[in-house]
Amino acid sequence: GTVNSVAFSPDGSYIASGSNDETIKIWRVSDGACLKTLAGHTEVSSVAFSPDGSYIASGNRDNTVRIWQVSDGSCLKTLAGHTDWVWSVAFSPDGNYIASGSRDTTIRIWRAPDGLYLKTLEGHRYPLTSVAFSPDRSCIASGSNDRTVRIWRVSDGLYLKTLAGHTEGVTSVAFSPDGSYIASGSNDRT
C-alpha cells in the first residue's frame, strides 16, 4: 500500500513507515532490512519517534493515536477521542507529550507514554493536516485545510496567533531548530 509517513529514529539508525496496508514497518538504515511489522490498526497516516527512540506514535484512519514500544513492537496504548481520521502526530522535544491533529478540526494533547488525555485545542474551520512542537515545547504549530497556520501555547492550550497567506490548504508545518521561524507547505505550491 501507499506509504503515507516516514520518520527517522533520533539516532538515525532506523526508519518507521506508516502505510495504507494498515502497518508500521521499522527498517534498519544500514542495510534496508525490515526488522518489524507493527499491525493492528487501519490505514496509518502519520508516524513519529519519541526523542529517546523507545516509542512510536501513529495516527490512524480509525480516529485513534497508538503508542508502540519499539523494542518488541507491542502496542502499549490506543488513544481514543478524535471523531475523524488522525492525520498528524508529533512528540514534544522532551518526550513528555504527544500532539495529534485530526480531520475533525481539533488538536489533542496527550501525556506520553501513558496516553493520558490532557486537552483539546479548537479553532480551525477545516481538517488539521500537520502539527509540530516548538523546540522549547512551549508552543504547537498546526496547519489546516482552512489555509492557515495557527500557534498555540501548550501549557494552557491558549490560541496565540493565526498565520495567513496561503491560497489553498496547508499540508505541512515545521519549526526551525531555534524556534524563531515556522515553515509551512501548501497545496498552493508554496
Side-chain angles (χ1 to χ4, degrees):
T2 301
V3 175
N4 296 314
S5 181
V6 294
F8 272 99
S9 62
D11 67 2
S13 298
Y14 305 100
I15 294 173
S17 62
S19 304
N20 283 355
D21 69 1
E22 303 182 356
T23 68
I24 296 167
K25 294 186 186 294
I26 300 175
W27 308 86
R28 187 170 42 225
V29 172
S30 62
D31 61 4
C34 181
L35 303 177
K36 290 185 181 70
T37 298
L38 315 181
H41 38 151
T42 58
E43 295 175 21
V44 180
S45 52
S46 183
V47 291
F49 274 96
S50 62
D52 68 1
S54 298
Y55 306 101
I56 293 172
S58 61
N60 307 286
R61 188 174 182 166
D62 66 5
N63 311 343
T64 67
V65 174
R66 295 184 189 220
I67 302 173
W68 304 85
Q69 188 159 327
V70 173
S71 61
D72 65 5
S74 63
C75 181
L76 300 177
K77 292 281 181 184
T78 299
L79 313 182
H82 283 293
T83 59
D84 209 333
W85 295 9
V86 176
W87 278 356
S88 182
V89 293
F91 274 94
S92 61
D94 60 9
N96 291 332
Y97 302 98
I98 296 168
S100 55
S102 171
R103 210 170 127 170
D104 68 11
T105 75
T106 69
I107 301 157
R108 287 184 170 250
I109 300 176
W110 317 83
R111 191 172 66 197
D114 67 4
L116 179 71
Y117 163 76
L118 299 174
K119 61 182 72 100
T120 299
L121 312 180
E122 298 180 85
H124 282 288
R125 296 185 327 265
Y126 291 98
L128 267 287
T129 55
S130 186
V131 292
F133 278 92
S134 62
D136 67 1
R137 186 188 65 89
S138 66
C139 294
I140 290 174
S142 57
S144 167
N145 282 340
D146 66 11
R147 301 183 246 178
T148 68
V149 173
R150 290 183 181 237
I151 312 301
W152 312 83
R153 190 166 56 207
V154 173
S155 62
D156 58 5
L158 182 69
Y159 157 75
L160 299 174
K161 168 184 311 193
T162 297
L163 307 175
H166 285 292
T167 58
E168 293 190 30
V170 176
T171 56
S172 187
V173 295
F175 278 91
S176 62
D178 68 359
S180 298
Y181 299 97
I182 297 171
S184 59
S186 168
N187 288 323
D188 66 10
R189 300 181 183 178
T190 64

